[in-house]
Every structure is written in structure tokens, then in C-alpha cells.
Amino acid sequence: MAVELTGAGVDWIHLDVMDGQFVPPITFGASLAAALHRIVPTPLEAHLMTLTPERHIESFVQAGCRRVVFQVEATAHSHRLVREIHSAGAKAGVALNPGTPVEAVRPLVTEVDMVLVMTVNPGWGGQEIVWPCLDKVRELRSWAPELEIEVDGGVTPATAPRILEAGATTLVTGSFLVSGGTVQERVAELREACGSKL
Ligand code: ZN
């Protein structure tokens, strides 16, 4: 799959790391990221849907992840975490769940390299987008015109134009890529739906 993604020309490979605590499922750890890093040149991003994210930063950066994203709900020390990610040598992102007010990340917008707005509740693929989450994207965009804003959850060619219109700059998709045909075809279809905005 990773090789197919690289062949399809994606900009990043986004790794959903789930610990069975912050979200019910368990996916994988840093050793999988390291294995992918050995076989594909595409930059890797670790999305830590975990408790105690501070315990995992170092291992994912060492595994080759260029960006580490933590959930704002998972720590009481988000500023410190951003600095730890930077000093480990990676870019830092902060994610927020649909139920978390956007104000939770306001103090961080000048510190982080990216904010990830979850548009479904994390844990499972293939869910429908929670549209009111796009208001958070609009709010973030008004606070920080240059900020990279990533949207994760329910991204398809049908939803992508509205997501970009709200101010997002990066889209994460998983289930759509395996919804039929080849990964290359799905990526091309998504890019086409986004026009020149992506
Ligand atoms: Zn994710």
C-alpha cells in the first residue's frame, strides 16, 4: 500500500497510531513507521491518537517521521509537547476531536506547524464527515492566515471542495483510497475534485 501511495504521488503518508486507550482500537507502533521509511521516500506523518503522547515522540521521530501530531485532549502540557517535538527534530502538529472547541488550540497556533481538525470521531475509517467541524477550520483560518490546516475524516471528492473552501490546506483520506479501482485512480480523482486548490 505504501508503495502504491508513493506511486500515486501523495504528498505525505499519514499514520494513524491508536493505543487502545485514547481510542478503542490498537493499530501499530514506531517499528511499522521505521519499516515504511526504509521502503518509501514519501514523508511520513505520525498522528498519535494515544494517551501520554510525550512517551512516543522520540521513537516516531527516530523511525523517520517528519511530522508528529498529538491530540490536544491527551495532554495538559501542549506547549511543552510542541517544543519537545521540535527539539527531537520534527515538525509539530496538534489535533482536535469534533467535540473539542477550537479555542483549545488557540494558544498554540503561533507555535505549531500545523493544526489537524478531526471531522469524524477518531477510531475507525469510513465514517461520514461531521460538517459543523468546518466552522473550526474557518475560525482557525481567521486567526492565522498562513497556518497549515489539515482535515482528517470523511474526505472524498464529494466533500473535499467544501473542506478546502472553509480554509483547509491538507486533506487526509484512507477509506476512499480503497473504495474501488486503483489507489492511483482514487488520488487522481480527489486531486481533480480539488482543482488547483491542492
Ligand atoms: Zn489521522
Side-chain angles (χ1 to χ4, degrees), residues 14-17 45 47 49 71 116 118 150 152 172:
H14 176 97
L15 304 174
D16 279 332
V17 180
E45 165 174 275
H47 176 193
M49 289 181 252
Q71 292 282 151
L116 170 55
M118 290 299 300
E150 191 166 277
D152 188 355
V172 178

Side-chain angles (χ1 to χ4, degrees), residues 20 33 35 60 65 69 90 107 130 132-134 138 143-144 146 149 157 163 180 183 188:
F60 278 93
C65 293
V69 187
V130 180
C133 294
L134 290 190
R138 291 185 194 97
W143 295 342
E146 304 298 322
I149 304 174
I163 298 170
V183 170

Side-chain angles (χ1 to χ4, degrees), residues 72-148:
V72 72
E73 304 86 358
T75 177
H77 305 289
S78 44
H79 265 102
R80 187 192 300 163
L81 221 52
V82 170
R83 288 183 187 162
E84 281 175 21
I85 295 169
H86 283 155
S87 59
K91 289 188 181 288
V94 63
L96 68 164
N97 282 337
T100 305
V102 68
E103 284 72 21
V105 299
R106 184 157 195 169
L108 296 171
V109 294
T110 53
E111 303 275 331
V112 291
D113 301 288
M114 180 272 278
V115 174
L116 170 55
V117 177
M118 290 299 300
T119 43
V120 297
N121 286 292
W124 292 272
Q127 301 182 67
E128 279 196 24
I129 189 166
V130 180
W131 287 109
C133 294
L134 290 190
D135 290 339
K136 292 193 247 185
V137 175
R138 291 185 194 97
E139 192 73 15
L140 281 165
R141 181 54 68 223
S142 73
W143 295 342
E146 304 298 322
L147 179 68
E148 180 172 352

